[in-house]
């Protein structure tokens, strides 16, 4: 995808960090964006920054959504679909850290990290894929991690929930490349494997 003007991008985790940077860069290219996050306050700041950067009448909408909860993802999708029959870009970017030890950490924390970092990708891809297929050109961009290559922060630090989720994102994305090529060739998928980036994820 070479031109973003008048396209529509959905960005999860758009309140801070990489999601915020994506919103700013895309609106600067004339792309409309719909962002979700668990923090309305953070999204308001992102919206202000993205609208300041915007060209070509690019618009920003914000939606409170916990991507680990499928019913919230469906509500987010429905809110976007009420205004747009299709989307062009889906950035499955939302992520949290924690749940390091499978042995010692509380299961609730472990499940929440895995839920946001993997289930959020799954739920959002399920929800928005029909809208991507309805477009003339679509792209799914899934954020994995260097921990999707190497499930470790070093020999003295357990890092199981995050690493397991990011391996799942990587494998899903690689498999989806073939699935889309066979069944929806105008929709592409990429997986991003960032190292440490100075965001508020921790």
């Amino acid at each position: 995808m070479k031109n973003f003007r008048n396209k529509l991008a959905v960005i999860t985790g758009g309140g801070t960090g990489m999601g915020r940077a994506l919103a700013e860069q895309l609106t600067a290219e004339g792309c409309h964006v719909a962002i979700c996050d668990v923090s309305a306050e953070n999204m308001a700041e992102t919206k202000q920054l993205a609208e300041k950067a915007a060209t070509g009448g690019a618009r920003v909408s914000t939606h409170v959504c916990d991507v680990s909860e499928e019913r919230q993802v469906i509500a987010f999708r429905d809110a976007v679909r009420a205004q747009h029959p299709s989307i062009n870009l889906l950035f499955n970017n939302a992520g949290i850290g924690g749940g390091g030890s499978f042995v010692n950490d509380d299961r609730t924390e472990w499940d929440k990290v895995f839920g946001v970092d993997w289930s959020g990708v799954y739920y959002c891809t399920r929800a928005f894929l029909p809208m991507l297929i309805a477009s003339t050109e679509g792209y799914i961009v899934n954020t994995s991690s260097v921990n999707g290559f190497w499930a470790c922060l070093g020999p003295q630090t357990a890092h199981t929930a995050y690493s397991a989720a990011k391996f799942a994102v990587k494998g899903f994305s690689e498999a989806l490349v073939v699935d889309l090529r066979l069944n929806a060739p105008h929709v592409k998928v990429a997986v991003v494997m960032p190292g440490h980036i100075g965001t508020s994820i921790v």
Side-chain angles (χ1 to χ4, degrees), residues 39 48 55 68 71 77 80 97 102 107 112 126 139 145 155 166-167 169 180 193 198:
S39 170
Q48 183 179 29
T55 63
S68 71
R71 62 181 177 79
R77 187 275 316 276
V80 174
F102 191 81
R107 176 172 177 169
K112 184 63 176 182
R126 277 281 184 204
Y139 228 110
S145 167
K166 294 304 186 178
F167 264 81
V169 171
L180 289 170
M193 312 288 289

Side-chain angles (χ1 to χ4, degrees), residues 40-71:
E41 182 180 357
N42 289 343
M43 282 193 293
E45 187 174 344
T46 296
K47 182 175 183 178
Q48 183 179 29
L49 292 167
E51 287 178 341
K52 183 177 180 180
T55 63
R59 299 185 305 276
V60 181
S61 65
T62 62
H63 309 264
V64 174
C65 174
D66 178 348
V67 296
S68 71
E69 299 288 341
E70 187 172 18
R71 62 181 177 79

Side-chain angles (χ1 to χ4, degrees), residues 9 33 36 43 53 59-60 69 83 88 106 111 116 136 138-139 156-157 165 175 202:
V33 299
C36 80
M43 282 193 293
R59 299 185 305 276
V60 181
E69 299 288 341
Q83 300 182 41
N88 303 101
D106 180 76
D111 287 349
V116 171
T136 57
Y139 228 110
Q156 301 301 318
T157 305
V202 175

Side-chain angles (χ1 to χ4, degrees), residues 3 22 28 52 74 84 91 117 119 122 150 186 193:
N3 180 9
L22 282 166
K52 183 177 180 180
I74 297 301
H84 309 276
F91 290 90
D117 293 353
S119 298
Y122 171 68
W150 185 45
H186 64 295
M193 312 288 289

Side-chain angles (χ1 to χ4, degrees), residues 107-130:
R107 176 172 177 169
T108 302
E109 180 189 353
W110 204 100
D111 287 349
K112 184 63 176 182
V113 172
F114 193 82
V116 171
D117 293 353
W118 157 244
S119 298
V121 173
Y122 171 68
Y123 293 150
C124 289
T125 303
R126 277 281 184 204
F128 284 100
L129 185 60

Side-chain angles (χ1 to χ4, degrees), residues 144-152 163 166-167 170 174 191 193-194:
S144 178
S145 167
V146 68
N147 291 122
F149 285 123
W150 185 45
C152 190
S163 295
K166 294 304 186 178
F167 264 81
K170 177 177 179 285
E174 290 181 356
V191 61
M193 312 288 289

